[in-house]
Amino acid sequence: MPLTTVILAAGQGTRMRSKLPKVLQPLAGQPLLAHVVATAVDVTGEAPIVVYGHGGEAVQAAFADAPVEWAEQAEQLGTGHAVAQALPRIADNDIVVVLYGDVPLITATTLNELIAAAGDDRLGVLTAQVDDPTGYGRIVRDAADRVMRIVEQKDANPAELEVNEINTGFIACRASLLRGWVNRLSSDNAQGEYYLTDVIEMAVADGVEVRTAQPYAIEEILGINDKRQLAAVESALRARRAEALLDAGVTLADPNRVDIRGTVVCGSDVFIDVNVVFEGEVKLDDNVRIGPNCVIRQTQIEQDCEILPNTVIDHAHIGPRCTIGPFARVRPETFLGSEVRIGNFVEVKKSAISKGSKVNHLSYVGDSRIGENVNVGAGTITCNYDGANKHRTVIGDGAFIGSGTQLVAPVRIGEGSTIGAGSTISKDTPANALTLARARQRSIEGWQRPQKQPKDGKK
Ligand code: UD1
Ligand code: CA
């Protein structure tokens, strides 16, 4: 059965009080619409048709590289009118699934239930039982419990307002049937809009069975109109992703205090402390421990590593059994071998550091290649930038860099080289020798400190 998804995203979203179009508001670091597009692609394997209107240029620009087809709805005349803008692009035999750009937590599992309810020749409607149905369209059933129609809140009579089964908005139906009904919609109602919901009554009149499906979790149907609802959905998504980690066997110090703005794949016996933020694709191998307040972006951390509190790691690859932090910053294109130690207030950028090497305190290592078992003393700086170009520092295996050294790149430190503390090294150093590049210390016997001069007029 060929499937096409239509995502309604033309609404303005004034209640967001933001210049950013509603469907571009970030949820877990990605635009709302991106979540819906991803689910649509997941269900159909094809690009969805997005009905856009308000902020159309910004929305299209944000999705320029995404698998999306566009249908413009210049004037927002209602949900039925919105679907009508997409239908000309859809083949008669396709099953159309209507989604919403501002209802981001819908799952593929639930949509497949809805598609099954529609089958080949029925109308599928996703409904839910809620305690407070205010604002939603109500599902009106007959004595035999068959769905007869949907009545919008503003058009409902007192008895209908009592109904707790609501329309989530999601429907599925063969395009040929939907086309016939959508073309006959009228705007003769309380809001003067072309209601998509009126197709239910038309289906019943045509003898087409209306079958309902229900979401697995109520958060799936939460729509977003303001920042409160955005925050509520963010927290629901945070919980969903934290639960997935727990189900995969990860230990979380507090599932309410881990943010996954991307994907995290974990090995066994991974521990994640509180207030950790993950972005992009992150992979944590067996026995990795992440301390509190870390931000980890687009990085693989191999087994048995410990990341200590307040560490930021971005676009890096961390070999096994490393210890990083606390308060370390590992920047893009950093590759650490095994058993590397990066300590507090150390910044590493675009560098490869091999097995067993240590940069323990207050250092900057950039554009460098550091061999095995190197010890970089506290306060060492690679001076990699001359104001115009970046230059490389290469440090051989077993070198010992004394504290407070400046390595003025391009420069090579030989294997087994020892650099005296406080040196400014601007020339390559030989292997296995001590190199010192600092003023020689001297002492002046009998030297007098300056005395304070008496002020004018005083003795
Ligand atoms: C709609 C349903 C209601 C349901 C509710 C669920 C109709 C008539 N009513 O009501 O039964 O309970 O959703 O949340 O369908 N949109 C467009 N173009 C338009 C109008 C709307 O793209 O011309 C988009 C909006 O951006 C929004 C969605 O469609 O994402 C829903 O529109 P909205 O006006 O919020 O519908 P509701 O009144 O909430
Ligand atoms: Ca709405």
Side-chain angles (χ1 to χ4, degrees):
M1 217 162 34
L3 292 165
T4 296
T5 47
V6 175
I7 303 176
L8 305 194
Q12 190 162 13
T14 39
R15 278 182 282 162
M16 287 300 212
R17 297 179 179 276
S18 167
K19 293 195 180 83
L20 197 64
K22 176 158 82 171
V23 293
L24 294 186
Q25 298 284 334
L27 171 69
Q30 280 194 305
L32 286 179
L33 182 58
H35 293 266
V36 185
V37 168
T39 306
V41 171
D42 198 14
V43 169
T44 66
E46 308 267 349
I49 302 175
V50 174
V51 179
Y52 71 98
H54 279 284
E57 271 171 33
V59 175
Q60 283 181 309
F63 285 79
D65 301 322
V68 164
E69 279 185 50
W70 301 97
E72 187 179 8
Q73 186 192 26
E75 246 190 307
Q76 279 73 67
L77 303 178
T79 48
H81 181 260
V83 169
Q85 310 313 304
L87 280 174
R89 297 159 174 272
I90 304 175
D92 266 343
N93 276 328
D94 278 19
I95 302 298
V96 179
V97 186
V98 178
L99 314 178
Y100 297 85
D102 57 0
V103 188
L105 297 189
I106 191 72
T107 62
T109 318
T110 289
L111 290 176
N112 284 326
E113 296 278 322
L114 175 64
I115 291 161
D120 203 26
D121 54 4
R122 294 181 296 266
L123 171 59
V125 181
L126 193 72
T127 74
Q129 292 285 345
V130 296
D131 293 335
D132 178 11
T134 309
Y136 288 103
R138 311 295 206 279
I139 307 296
V140 180
R141 292 177 183 265
D142 69 5
D145 220 26
R146 285 178 303 222
V147 175
M148 301 306 291
R149 58 196 183 88
I150 292 175
V151 60
E152 290 303 291
Q153 162 103 13
K154 288 185 177 149
D155 301 283
N157 65 38
E160 289 163 344
L161 289 175
E162 294 294 306
V163 173
N164 285 84
E165 187 185 11
I166 58 102
N167 172 33
T168 66
F170 294 87
I171 65 163
C173 186
R174 204 170 72 219
S176 53
L177 293 169
L178 202 54
R179 211 188 307 281
W181 301 324
V182 164
N183 287 338
R184 280 160 40 212
L185 289 175
S186 100
S187 58
D188 182 15
N189 52 50
Q191 300 182 79
E193 286 181 8
Y194 295 92
Y195 291 164
L196 179 61
T197 44
D198 284 349
V199 304
I200 281 74
E201 204 171 354
M202 292 173 170
V204 171
D206 286 353
V208 171
E209 185 189 344
V210 179
R211 198 176 279 189
T212 59
Q214 278 72 42
Y216 280 84
I218 204 71
E219 86 234 7
E220 291 188 54
I221 63 151
L222 293 178
I224 297 175
N225 297 304
D226 56 32
K227 293 283 171 78
R228 283 185 187 223
Q229 290 168 335
L230 181 61
V233 168
E234 178 86 35
S235 128
L237 182 54
R238 184 186 306 129
R240 182 194 277 183
R241 289 179 172 179
E243 279 159 17
L245 285 188
L246 294 172
D247 290 344
V250 175
T251 303
L252 300 176
D254 181 352
N256 293 314
R257 287 188 287 168
V258 57
D259 278 62
I260 301 165
R261 302 175 187 156
T263 56
V264 179
V265 176
C266 292
S268 64
D269 299 294
V270 168
F271 171 77
I272 298 169
D273 214 321
V274 297
N275 297 330
V276 174
V277 177
F278 296 102
E279 295 177 2
E281 287 170 30
V282 172
K283 192 162 180 287
L284 307 177
D285 293 349
D286 295 354
N287 296 313
V288 165
R289 297 177 67 83
I290 311 285
N293 306 318
C294 292
V295 178
I296 301 184
R297 182 181 303 127
Q298 197 67 38
T299 288
Q300 178 172 359
I301 301 177
E302 291 192 53
Q303 68 270 13
D304 305 311
C305 283
E306 181 150 26
I307 312 302
L308 295 163
N310 300 294
T311 291
V312 178
I313 304 179
D314 185 5
H315 284 81
H317 186 109
I318 311 300
R321 299 181 297 288
C322 290
T323 307
I324 302 181
F327 298 99
R329 180 172 182 212
V330 178
R331 292 172 53 198
E333 294 183 62
T334 294
F335 297 87
L336 304 186
S338 55
E339 292 151 57
V340 171
R341 173 82 181 91
I342 303 293
N344 42 211
F345 307 108
V346 170
E347 174 179 351
V348 183
K349 185 215 84 171
K350 203 171 183 176
S351 292
I353 304 179
S354 301
K355 183 177 177 186
S357 289
K358 296 187 176 76
V359 189
N360 268 334
H361 324 274
L362 296 152
S363 290
Y364 173 60
V365 173
D367 301 292
S368 300
R369 197 175 78 228
I370 298 182
E372 294 186 3
N373 298 313
V374 169
N375 195 314
V376 176
T380 295
I381 307 285
T382 55
C383 308
N384 58 331
Y385 187 49
D386 60 14
N389 298 297
K390 302 273 170 65
H391 301 285
R392 289 179 55 74
T393 299
V394 178
I395 303 178
D397 292 348
F400 181 97
I401 314 295
S403 297
T405 294
Q406 292 114 61
L407 299 166
V408 183
V411 69
R412 301 176 78 92
I413 306 301
E415 268 183 40
S417 227
T418 301
I419 308 297
S423 293
T424 299
I425 301 293
S426 53
K427 288 194 291 239
D428 293 357
T429 71
N432 304 315
L434 169 66
T435 301
L436 288 165
R438 64 185 188 217
R440 189 173 286 274
Q441 181 171 322
R442 63 188 180 125
S443 300
I444 298 170
E445 296 295 335
W447 181 77
Q448 292 289 320
R449 282 187 196 165
Q451 304 289 307
K452 219 173 205 172
Q453 293 297 321
K455 292 243 165 74
D456 275 359
K458 286 190 188 160
K459 197 67 189 140

